[in-house]
Amino acid sequence: MNAPDVILKVVLAIVVGGLIGAEREFRHRAAGFRTIILICLGSSLFTMLSLELGGAVAPVRIAAHMVTGVGFLCAGVILEEKARIVGLTTAATIWFTAAMGMAIGGAQYLLVTVALAGAMAVLWVFPKLEERIYNVREGRTYEMVCGINRNRLKELEGLFQRCGLR
């Protein structure tokens, strides 16, 4: 491995991990900025070492075992909280970030670019879409209690209509 190639891969792993980690940090998730950077950087280094040390016999041996190790790390962030499962997106983000690090370590720069664009869309744009789906899917019943006043009733009906409520 030549020095410029190593430097490029290390810097790219920090940048890619930083972009993904910034989104996780912004949303106050368990695996934040520094954690995601280190996962991307570590998986990149393991992949570079695997390719360098594995030789012609087993060039991806270390990297293959890394997938299992990262899966174990992901399992640790999935929890049950008040009859809900939480941490699945964080676990998937950790797993994805490790895969990105592997792609960087393997010099798959086009793959990294396209996958990063897709991941950023999923992490930034899809929550808005998910919220809209949730609002359509969920039914709510509102009960208003007030004195008998026909004008007030019309005002409340108008307010509900403006807010998209039935």
Side-chain angles (χ1 to χ4, degrees):
M1 266 189 288
N2 60 36
D5 189 45
V6 170
I7 292 168
L8 172 66
K9 289 176 181 179
V10 167
V11 169
L12 188 56
I14 291 169
V15 169
V16 168
L19 288 171
I20 297 167
E23 186 278 337
R24 298 280 79 196
E25 193 73 37
F26 177 77
R27 297 190 193 283
H28 303 289
R29 299 300 183 219
F33 188 65
R34 292 178 300 156
T35 303
I36 297 296
I37 289 173
L38 290 172
I39 290 167
C40 192
L41 183 58
S43 60
S44 182
L45 293 174
F46 273 126
T47 303
M48 287 187 279
L49 288 170
S50 185
L51 293 171
E52 189 71 21
L53 300 176
V57 179
V60 292
R61 193 171 177 179
I62 296 170
H65 290 289
M66 187 181 59
V67 173
T68 306
V70 170
F72 182 76
L73 179 64
C74 292
V77 300
I78 300 172
L79 304 168
E80 183 180 356
E81 185 179 280
K82 296 179 184 176
R84 287 183 45 221
I85 303 298
V86 296
L88 288 172
T89 302
T90 298
T93 302
I94 290 170
W95 202 58
F96 173 80
T97 302
M100 291 294 282
M102 291 179 74
I104 292 166
Q108 300 298 312
Y109 304 124
L110 177 61
L111 177 61
V112 169
T113 303
V114 173
L116 179 62
M120 296 312 287
V122 167
L123 292 171
W124 283 104
V125 177
F126 283 30
K128 291 170 181 51
L129 178 62
E130 190 175 44
E131 187 176 322
R132 289 185 118 165
I133 291 169
Y134 177 78
N135 286 336
V136 168
R137 179 187 71 196
E138 291 297 312
R140 295 182 182 97
T141 302
Y142 296 92
E143 184 176 327
M144 302 288 296
V145 179
C146 64
I148 299 173
N149 181 335
R150 192 169 295 290
N151 291 335
R152 183 71 174 151
L153 181 61
K154 294 237 186 260
E155 183 182 323
L156 290 172
E157 285 176 347
L159 177 64
F160 278 174
Q161 285 177 353
R162 283 192 303 276
C163 293
L165 303 173
R166 290 178 282 150

